[in-house]
Amino acid sequence: VLELLNASTYTWKPVNYAKVSQSNDNLDITVETDNPDKIYNRAYLQTQLNFTQNQPLVLLLDYAAETFEGNATFAIEIRNIESDRILWSDILEKGFGEVISKKFLLPTNVSDMPVEFRFYVVTENIGIHTLVLDRVALFSNIHIDIDPNLNL
């Protein structure tokens, strides 16, 4: 298990209007903007993944995404640091302050390379938005029984 919110090991950094507050068990990304343009606000983390290639890799997220004013799109992205190529991305649904737990089965090409994790709060107008992450964890070498009711 690789826990990416461990503040003693990992430091998340802000871009654009994002403000990042980090503790050992959560990451708070707040965006307050008066800019009417489309802005890709984000928090990012660069790290080296050392999982066995061609093994299933599961990303677990517990988060709350909320907009207090305006509109925003919340998303996650994983990029290859060397090529800046997007390896995987997905939209995060708004929970209106409620914690949402999601499981994502990642492609095998993410397992053994330097990557950058990005959590986006994309704004297109004036607004106030927060994305609070309570868990960001990667699991490998696990047995996966596909449950038809499981939302991956």
Side-chain angles (χ1 to χ4, degrees):
V1 178
L2 180 62
E3 297 280 354
L4 296 174
L5 295 184
N6 184 335
S8 62
T9 306
Y10 300 106
T11 302
W12 291 81
K13 297 179 182 171
V15 173
N16 294 323
Y17 292 97
K19 292 182 181 152
V20 172
S21 174
Q22 183 176 3
S23 70
N24 260 344
D25 56 0
N26 83 355
L27 176 69
D28 187 337
I29 305 163
T30 302
V31 173
E32 186 170 348
T33 179
D34 57 0
N35 191 325
D37 298 328
K38 187 172 192 173
I39 307 291
Y40 289 84
N41 309 287
R42 66 183 176 269
Y44 73 94
L45 170 73
Q46 293 185 337
T47 189
Q48 171 70 41
L49 296 182
N50 294 312
F51 292 100
T52 305
Q53 286 191 352
N54 299 321
Q55 290 290 323
L57 196 59
V58 176
L59 174 65
L60 298 179
L61 292 183
D62 292 339
Y63 70 93
E66 190 167 14
T67 291
F68 300 99
E69 180 183 333
N71 281 323
T73 301
F74 299 89
I76 181 174
E77 183 177 273
I78 302 173
R79 286 182 179 247
N80 180 312
I81 290 174
E82 295 165 347
S83 69
D84 199 37
R85 196 179 93 229
I86 298 170
L87 302 171
W88 175 84
S89 66
D90 210 327
I91 297 295
L92 300 176
E93 60 191 275
K94 292 181 189 175
F96 306 101
E98 298 293 320
V99 175
I100 296 172
S101 295
K102 297 282 282 188
K103 298 172 188 76
F104 300 98
L105 187 59
L106 299 178
T108 56
N109 68 337
V110 174
S111 60
D112 185 27
M113 67 178 59
V115 297
E116 182 172 289
F117 287 86
R118 295 181 178 185
F119 283 99
Y120 285 98
V121 180
V122 182
T123 56
E124 294 190 53
N125 213 328
I126 296 166
I128 303 170
H129 319 277
T130 63
L131 177 59
V132 178
L133 297 143
D134 292 326
R135 184 156 200 208
V136 179
L138 290 168
F139 288 82
S140 177
N141 293 327
I142 59 173
H143 177 73
I144 299 176
D145 288 323
I146 301 299
D147 178 349
N149 298 318
L150 185 63
N151 185 13
L152 285 179

